[in-house]
Amino acid sequence: MELDVVELSRLQFAMTAMYHFLFVPLTLGLSIIVAIMETVYVMTDRPIWRQMTKFWGTLFGINFVLGVATGITMEFQFGMNWSYYSHYVGDIFGAPLAIEGLMAFFLEATFVGLFFFGWDKLSKVAHLVVAWLVAIGSNFSALWILIANGWMQNPVGAEFNPMTMRMEMTSFYEVLFNTVAQAKFVHTVSAGYVTASVFVLGVSAWYLLKGRHIELARRSIGIAASFGLMSALSVVVLGDESGYTTTHDQKMKLAAMEGMWETEPAPASFTLIGFPDQEARDTKYAIHIPWVMGLIGTRSLDTVIPGIAQLVDESEDRIRSGMIAYDALMTIRADRGEVAQDIRDRFETHSDDLGYALLLKRYVDDPREATDEQIAQAAEDTVPTVWPLFWAFRIMVGLGFAFIAVMGYFFYLASFKRMQFPRWSLYFGVAIIPAPWIAAELGWFVAEFGRQPWTVDGVLPTALSVSHLSVGDLLITLAGFVTFYSILFIIEMGLMLKYIRKGPFQDVEETDRWIARHEHRLRTHDGNVPGAVPAE
Amino acid sequence: MILHDLLSFELLRVIWWLLLGVLLIGFALTDGFDMGVGALLPFVAKTDNERRVVINTVGPVWEGNQVWFILGGGAIFAAWPPLYAVSFSGFYLAMFAVLAALILRPVGFKYRSKRESAAWRSSWDWALFVGGAVPALIFGVAVGNVLQGVPFYLTEDLMPIYDGTFYWKFLALLNPFAILVGLVSFGMLLMHGAAWLTVKTEGVIADRARTIGAVMGLIAMAGFALAGVWLAFGVDGYAIVGAVVADGPSNPLHSEVSRESSWLAAYSARPWIAIAPVLGFIGMAMAIRGLRSGGEVSTLLWSKLGILGVISTVGLTMFPFILPSSVDPKSSLTVWDASSSHLTLFVMLVVTVIFMPLILLYTAWVYKVLWGKVTEDDVTANSDSVY
């Protein structure tokens, strides 16, 4: 890989985005889990639930702040590193980002301070409302970000304006209710819920292994396993929905994810495993399952899913069509729009393919002068590198199913076996803590790497989207981010571990008062007061 | 959709120019005192408990305040995409420095008191100082450069191109006029931070804040006056040549711009705008007086008025220019040629009209709940839960 501005900008964006997404899924899920715990506290008035809310809330806070801080980088990096992208699609892409701030981020950020500082200043119910507002705000944030991202995958509700040389919004409604965005939103927030559930479950399992904070840990596992099971099921179901929309709107990404080199007769088979070979256009040692791909991808028996070879041919046609649009555009631009109707019409007819002509800019300054070889090469460029997508996708899906099994098992033990967890299962619970993060990052990798060579699918090539910067600029900021983010990561992990080891703050007096008040109700038939008190 | 024709393109552009001002001023008024407090931290508070008091005055509100900044970025992206594209990439390394400082600050607030070690805490105190002082200075430096024009041009494809190599670009930002404007914003935000501390703290911390805040206010006032004189004699203004097309397509290359005029010509064309600098001076002078004479809430309000006046001055002086180009004046971005489309501006306005009042309402409620002084007793009594 050459160290050019495009590659370095991609590397920096990928790095900072994936780093940001280390904190986001936990924020999404933990905000809800904490709000659920506080709801139980308000309903039952049992101090243990308040202690749980505060304990998990502290971990939430340590994580949240880095999510916020690294999110600033995301908001600014489009302009810093992707200035032509910002100009070209800002009219559409900027809107959901700004609305995210207005509708969601203000809400969560304004109330999160009150969540930590308002315990003594607010009534119980008011504080509970605050907790839910933080959770709702966080999740709404994700909605708007995924509407923005969904538009990059499936650019609806917009058209190119030759007078301003950019895409402009034609229908806010279409941008908002973009099927890809909606499917991605539910898939992504569910993944966040799974992440938080696995985290809560894992930390609680560790307490049980150590014999500490038994009451807190058991109740936490109860919440995490039931919430986690629901979420793990929805991640997979909605991931399937996401895949279904991909079949319609991002055919090349689907073909690359699945290593489908040639078009198969419907219903296509699913390649469970294999070794994709880009040059030979073949997947070696493949294990196929008949029909499955066709069924999942099209939900029908007779719809054909196009393979990579066919899609490359289609790309070539679209490049040639785009060259006509580009030619008309140059005339319109030169004459400031004062051109004959037939040129306008020609542009309108071919403008959907304009982005394909821009693919040629990698090889020639003026796409109209491209040779047949360059056109063929540009068509070939529309195929992303297959093997990382193929594998990342399979690992993600495998983990998704594994989470259903794990959550199901813990849910079963928690509900029907009186929380008697075998020690091996607790060790396993601790060991899988990193797994949801791996799945989430791989998911983003599939979505974004699979969209290459485009930043906006079919509209704007990545190579054209960057800022006019030097390699030196990029190396300075890249080194800066790596150093700075690594230090922050070490600090964050250190604090997380410190506060997990420290455990919840147990207000013994408060607990005793509560037991005294409720003793008559708690006493079991043999006269013992059951474990309302934390174990130590 | 026909609905968006209810408001003309021209009117929407002016409204979004105003809203851009509202966001920047909102940012300076709220996040401004966070930055001021951060930059003042090592000087107004000496012991650990004093420092915790100072940090906890902003502890519960900095997150919400910071959203003004993030929303500012998002709104510029949505309503003024060329401005977003040109300025963020053009000030690349300066933006990186701001980013690093702004990341350091939230983390500093949150993590500083989570360990006992004195070295840990003192490192974060300096991180908070950097996180407050660096952006306070750089924002002003950026404005100073915008007033002089920035060396960019747009290609026919409207791709922004910058002249010069990276270190030159970075160092060229630090010219004398820009540094002067940087000092104005630095002094102004530190004064504002000090005014906040007089409301939220008492005793020795408040006393120190009053002394330093008054000095900072004087620096800001003197710098503001000097910058005005400098604009009159040392900096070229920009003007659109020929008829102004206010509802044309957003393509800066469609208009001609000259550098013959002075920025201060705006004051003879629209004399009423002189109210902005006047408010700036009055606000800052009264805030300094309040800092010296023991005023609390009133001092903070005067300080807010001063900031409002100073920022409005910049916007009104430059109108309709947003980002002039020094190397290719034709590429300059103005209110009339650097906005989003008619539809996008309309949709964004509808969303803003719905949510901005809500935001102001619940933010006010949160400040009300948290009203009152932070004392050393508060910090020691709740040592585990506060910052």
Side-chain angles (χ1 to χ4, degrees):
Chain A
M1 192 168 73
E2 247 182 292
L3 282 187
D4 62 9
V5 171
V6 177
E7 293 301 331
L8 287 171
S9 300
R10 284 183 65 195
L11 184 63
Q12 180 169 306
F13 195 91
M15 210 196 75
T16 51
M18 289 172 106
Y19 186 82
H20 176 56
F21 211 73
L22 290 175
F23 310 103
V24 173
L26 192 58
T27 295
L28 291 176
L30 209 47
S31 63
I32 295 202
I33 291 181
V34 166
I36 292 175
M37 288 173 174
E38 190 169 350
T39 307
V40 179
Y41 165 63
V42 171
M43 283 162 62
T44 63
D45 197 31
R46 298 181 73 151
I48 177 90
W49 287 98
R50 188 169 112 120
Q51 290 158 17
M52 284 164 66
T53 309
K54 282 195 160 182
F55 170 68
W56 295 110
T58 304
L59 300 186
F60 167 79
I62 295 172
N63 171 74
F64 181 81
V65 70
L66 269 189
V68 171
T70 56
I72 310 174
T73 309
M74 303 319 300
E75 185 95 10
F76 285 55
Q77 214 176 164
F78 295 106
M80 289 170 65
N81 290 83
W82 304 92
S83 64
Y84 198 61
Y85 171 91
S86 303
H87 152 74
Y88 205 86
V89 299
D91 195 62
I92 307 109
F93 187 83
L97 292 195
I99 299 175
E100 186 253 358
L102 280 164
M103 187 189 265
F105 195 39
F106 248 120
L107 192 67
E108 66 176 302
T110 305
F111 285 107
V112 79
L114 213 48
F115 176 82
F116 292 109
F117 287 80
W119 284 102
D120 304 325
K121 296 186 164 77
L122 294 169
S123 72
K124 271 200 298 195
V125 175
H127 193 276
L128 176 66
V129 172
V130 166
W132 276 108
L133 288 175
V134 173
I136 292 168
S138 308
N139 280 268
F140 262 118
S141 270
L143 172 68
W144 289 102
I145 297 305
L146 286 156
I147 286 174
N149 180 266
W151 189 81
M152 297 168 76
Q153 321 283 350
N154 182 32
V156 289
E159 68 182 19
F160 188 84
N161 180 347
M163 299 306 290
T164 54
M165 291 299 289
R166 67 179 182 193
M167 298 294 289
E168 292 187 352
M169 198 189 287
T170 54
S171 164
F172 182 63
Y173 181 87
E174 280 179 46
V175 174
L176 194 56
F177 292 99
N178 184 350
T179 48
V180 173
Q182 299 300 326
K184 280 176 87 76
F185 166 63
V186 276
H187 180 60
T188 308
V189 293
S190 306
Y193 303 162
V194 173
T195 306
S197 303
V198 170
F199 174 78
V200 170
L201 191 140
V203 172
S204 305
W206 185 74
Y207 283 146
L208 291 181
L209 283 170
K210 293 271 165 186
R212 295 171 54 187
H213 317 301
I214 306 287
E215 292 301 317
L216 173 132
R218 285 186 166 177
R219 284 176 172 81
S220 299
I221 290 183
I223 296 266
S226 35
F227 185 60
L229 178 60
M230 278 189 329
S231 312
L233 284 168
S234 91
V235 161
V236 173
V237 172
L238 299 164
D240 167 62
E241 181 66 26
S242 206
Y244 180 66
T245 60
T246 308
T247 318
H248 284 263
D249 304 315
Q250 306 164 77
K251 297 191 170 66
M252 183 62 91
K253 184 191 281 182
L254 182 81
M257 264 157 61
E258 302 297 353
M260 289 183 51
W261 303 101
E262 302 295 334
T263 308
E264 283 183 44
S269 64
F270 176 72
T271 310
L272 186 64
I273 218 161
F275 295 89
D277 180 342
Q278 192 104 5
E279 304 229 326
R281 282 206 180 163
D282 182 27
T283 303
K284 300 215 159 64
Y285 314 110
I287 301 169
H288 297 285
I289 309 175
W291 286 34
V292 170
M293 189 62 233
L295 287 175
I296 298 176
T298 68
R299 296 181 187 161
S300 82
L301 288 174
D302 50 7
T303 315
V304 176
I305 303 177
I308 288 171
Q310 183 186 337
L311 290 170
V312 169
D313 290 343
E314 287 174 15
S315 295
E316 193 168 327
D317 295 342
R318 295 193 69 177
I319 291 171
R320 290 182 191 279
S321 160
M323 289 163 73
I324 301 172
Y326 190 84
D327 182 52
L329 173 62
M330 288 301 109
T331 314
I332 297 173
R333 193 181 74 183
D335 299 344
R336 301 260 161 97
E338 309 288 324
V339 292
Q341 191 60 35
D342 66 314
I343 297 179
R344 277 180 181 287
D345 291 344
R346 204 177 330 143
F347 180 74
E348 294 294 325
T349 316
H350 294 276
S351 65
D352 282 351
D353 296 324
L354 180 65
Y356 281 81
L358 299 180
L359 287 171
L360 292 165
K361 289 235 178 192
R362 264 183 79 179
Y363 303 105
V364 54
D365 280 341
D366 187 340
R368 291 172 293 185
E369 291 163 7
T371 62
D372 284 349
E373 290 78 52
Q374 287 168 328
I375 293 171
Q377 185 59 45
E380 198 63 37
D381 289 348
T382 58
V383 186
T385 312
V386 170
W387 70 265
L389 287 172
F390 183 90
W391 278 103
F393 178 68
R394 274 153 189 74
I395 297 170
M396 177 190 76
V397 173
L399 286 171
F401 281 104
F403 295 137
I404 297 180
V406 173
M407 288 298 167
Y409 179 68
F410 274 93
F411 181 73
Y412 168 75
L413 293 179
S415 311
F416 304 111
K417 295 287 172 186
R418 304 172 56 85
M419 299 250 179
Q420 297 305 310
F421 305 106
R423 282 190 80 77
W424 69 264
S425 72
L426 296 175
Y427 281 114
F428 187 70
V430 177
I432 60 162
I433 290 180
W437 275 273
I438 295 171
E441 299 286 1
L442 289 175
W444 274 112
F445 176 79
V446 170
E448 303 301 288
F449 190 81
R451 197 191 51 233
Q452 299 306 320
W454 307 99
T455 41
V456 180
D457 194 46
V459 169
L460 185 65
T462 310
L464 216 62
S465 307
V466 289
S467 298
H468 180 74
L469 296 169
S470 66
V471 169
D473 291 330
L474 261 299
L475 289 177
I476 290 177
T477 55
L478 195 58
F481 275 122
V482 168
T483 316
F484 190 41
Y485 275 16
S486 304
I487 294 171
L488 287 182
F489 187 73
I490 294 167
I491 290 172
E492 200 255 6
M493 288 300 279
L495 281 180
M496 273 284 190
L497 293 175
K498 178 189 163 181
Y499 277 82
I500 290 170
R501 275 199 207 99
K502 191 174 166 197
F505 170 72
Q506 280 156 349
D507 192 334
V508 181
E509 275 179 39
E510 185 193 25
T511 311
D512 287 346
R513 274 202 308 276
W514 186 84
I515 291 177
R517 215 160 51 233
H518 295 271
E519 206 177 349
H520 59 282
R521 186 163 66 79
L522 290 171
R523 199 176 298 282
T524 50
H525 53 84
D526 52 1
N528 293 326
V529 176
V533 196
E536 69 264 37
Chain B
M1 185 143 43
I2 307 147
L3 207 58
H4 64 273
D5 289 330
L6 287 174
L7 296 174
S8 74
F9 201 7
E10 178 179 358
L11 180 61
L12 278 168
R13 280 171 165 162
V14 175
I15 291 175
W16 271 101
W17 176 80
L18 285 170
L19 283 174
L20 181 63
V22 168
L23 286 171
L24 289 179
I25 291 167
F27 164 64
L29 295 187
T30 57
D31 214 32
F33 69 67
D34 296 0
M35 288 191 285
V37 165
L40 290 169
L41 176 67
F43 311 107
V44 297
K46 300 294 180 190
T47 68
D48 184 55
N49 270 344
E50 284 173 12
R51 292 197 171 167
R52 291 188 72 178
V53 167
V54 169
I55 290 168
N56 278 290
T57 63
V58 290
V61 291
W62 66 263
E63 271 156 322
N65 293 347
Q66 176 134 314
V67 182
W68 285 97
F69 182 62
I70 294 169
L71 180 60
I76 292 175
F77 198 175
W80 307 99
L83 174 63
Y84 179 78
V86 174
S87 63
F88 283 42
S89 63
F91 294 138
Y92 188 71
L93 292 180
M95 283 303 298
F96 178 72
V98 170
L99 262 184
L102 287 178
I103 292 173
L104 214 48
R105 199 161 53 106
V107 182
F109 285 134
K110 190 82 193 174
Y111 289 177
R112 180 205 180 265
S113 300
K114 291 226 182 297
R115 287 188 192 277
E116 299 293 330
S117 140
W120 167 274
R121 291 190 171 181
S122 125
S123 312
W124 283 118
D125 290 342
W126 285 104
L128 285 170
F129 168 74
V130 170
V134 168
L137 192 67
I138 289 188
F139 288 134
V141 169
V143 171
N145 279 289
V146 170
L147 281 164
Q148 297 171 92
V150 179
F152 76 95
Y153 67 91
L154 298 172
T155 66
E156 282 288 314
D157 292 331
L158 299 187
M159 187 178 283
I161 307 284
Y162 267 79
D163 280 345
T165 50
F166 66 92
Y167 48 88
W168 187 85
K169 269 188 279 179
F170 190 56
L171 291 179
L173 295 179
L174 300 173
N175 56 69
F177 180 74
I179 290 174
L180 176 67
V181 182
L183 280 178
V184 174
S185 78
F186 183 82
M188 187 172 82
L189 296 182
L190 264 69
M191 172 191 78
H192 194 47
W196 173 253
L197 287 177
T198 65
V199 175
K200 294 294 283 187
T201 64
E202 53 193 16
V204 62
I205 301 173
D207 292 343
R208 290 185 193 129
R210 286 173 187 284
T211 314
I212 304 176
V215 174
M216 288 297 155
L218 285 172
I219 291 176
M221 261 178 89
F224 189 50
L226 189 58
V229 177
W230 202 320
L231 274 189
F233 300 104
V235 178
D236 287 341
Y238 289 75
I240 296 178
V241 178
V244 172
V245 184
D247 58 355
S250 287
N251 189 331
L253 300 181
H254 286 192
S255 58
E256 284 298 327
V257 169
S258 81
R259 293 199 67 179
E260 313 286 280
S261 66
S262 158
W263 281 128
L264 298 190
Y267 291 83
S268 41
R270 301 183 292 275
W272 61 269
I273 65 174
I275 194 168
V278 170
L279 285 180
F281 279 118
I282 294 178
M284 285 190 286
M286 292 300 285
I288 294 167
R289 184 164 167 269
L291 282 165
R292 294 174 57 85
S293 66
E296 293 183 358
V297 177
S298 60
T299 309
L300 185 65
L301 292 176
W302 284 118
S303 169
K304 287 184 177 186
L305 184 75
I307 293 174
L308 176 90
V310 171
I311 296 178
S312 308
T313 301
V314 177
L316 290 168
T317 304
M318 288 181 62
F319 186 89
F321 284 86
I322 310 179
L323 188 64
S325 162
S326 57
V327 292
D328 179 31
K330 194 156 81 89
S331 293
S332 299
L333 309 182
T334 73
V335 173
W336 314 126
D337 61 20
S339 78
S340 284
S341 64
H342 196 163
L343 174 63
T344 299
L345 289 183
F346 181 77
V347 169
M348 292 303 302
L349 181 62
V350 171
V351 176
T352 308
V353 166
I354 296 171
F355 284 98
M356 192 47 83
L358 279 174
I359 291 167
L360 294 175
L361 214 62
Y362 62 63
T363 303
W365 182 72
V366 168
Y367 274 83
K368 183 169 158 278
V369 170
L370 296 164
W371 193 252
K373 300 225 183 243
V374 180
T375 63
E376 292 200 30
D377 290 345
D378 293 337
V379 173
T380 40
N382 303 301
S383 195
D384 274 338
S385 58
V386 300
Y387 291 155

